[in-house]
Amino acid sequence: MQTMYSAAMTFGAPTVEPDESIALEGNSPVAKRLREIASTLAATDLPVLIIGEPGTGTEALAFAIHSGSRITQQPFTVVTCRSVVPEQFDPQSSLWSQSALSRPGTVLLSRLNNLSQASQCTLAKLLSEESRPCAARVLASSEIELETTARKTWLREDLTRLLGQVIVRIPPLRHRREDIVFLAESMVERYAAAFNRPVAPMDAQMKKALEGHSWQGNLADLEVVAKVIALLGNRESLSFIHNLDKSHPKNDAIIPLKEAARAASQAAEREVIQKVLFRNGGNRKRAALQLEISYKALLYKIKQFGLSPASDRGAS
């Protein structure tokens, strides 16, 4: 009997329960199984549907499948379903020649749950054509369970059957806590090198804070936190982690990843600027040098984030 996140595969019905390239890293059973699944699916031509919250690594998994396949030298194209028009799926249309589906390679239909009804109808017809006008291997991702989506008539059942011959469910970061510290340390090391900062080992308090956080924005949140830790170190980053949830809605509604990342990044910027200003005794010119931004840009951000005016000693 499978557990909720058993990372198992079935054909013809939903069930792969196993998180962008770092999403495939880690030593947990889920991370290892996810890499195994990518390798297994790369050896096939089957359509694959990947279900996961924004920021869990759906695109990374799709690219891993493509990279291990026999068509790895062909293009890997991500098509955002919200912006698709039906003619892009119609071989009789003048737009067909511009469609990635008309050429060899792998196409990821990103956020399938945003595909319009008209586009769904045309795509279903294309994928069911025996003459196989579709030259690409088709992968798809969705933020919402197919059964829920179909019940609300957002997705055609025939389309879900065509695209969901194999279904992979990627658990959110909060359901793979054994990987959080590993992923965070990897990100911090990368950003510390980019910022030319020394890497301080994470203490027990920091690890506990990371493992206990809800990570509503998944990898987007973790990346923001890693930047803060790389800049400020362990102790001064703790308060930011504890306050991070304030940048997200309190309910379970799914919000666009870009919106979540923007909110978290702005909160991180404000926190970092405030800390660096304090560390430099309010000297904005010295703070700007440490932050590697212009003095004018720092003044703009101080005003943008409503930070208390600091003295400008030594600014001239």
Side-chain angles (χ1 to χ4, degrees), residues 164-217:
Q165 293 184 30
V166 179
I167 296 178
V168 181
R169 291 183 180 81
I170 306 182
L173 203 53
R174 60 186 174 274
H175 290 154
R176 50 180 299 191
R177 294 193 181 277
E178 62 270 46
D179 284 336
I180 291 173
V181 171
F182 174 88
L183 297 175
E185 287 177 334
S186 179
M187 288 180 174
V188 170
E189 186 175 341
R190 186 169 73 245
Y191 283 116
F195 299 149
N196 196 25
R197 304 276 185 178
V199 180
M202 289 187 184
D203 56 28
Q205 191 176 10
M206 172 59 71
K207 291 179 179 180
K208 184 178 179 181
L210 290 171
E211 291 172 346
H213 184 65
S214 65
W215 300 112
Q216 295 180 55

Side-chain angles (χ1 to χ4, degrees), residues 5 84 93 169 175 178 192 198 201 210 214-215 225 233 245 267 277 281 308:
Y5 294 99
V84 167
S93 166
R169 291 183 180 81
H175 290 154
E178 62 270 46
L210 290 171
S214 65
W215 300 112
V225 168
D245 274 336
L277 281 169
S308 300

Side-chain angles (χ1 to χ4, degrees), residues 89-91 96 101 121-129 133-134:
F89 297 143
D90 184 2
W96 175 247
L101 295 174
C121 182
T122 311
L123 178 59
K125 182 179 179 182
L126 172 69
L127 296 177
S128 59
E129 287 281 347
C134 179

Side-chain angles (χ1 to χ4, degrees), residues 64-80:
I65 294 170
H66 168 76
S67 297
S69 72
R70 60 180 177 78
I71 57 172
T72 184
Q73 299 302 319
Q74 302 292 345
F76 173 80
T77 307
V78 178
V79 175
T80 304

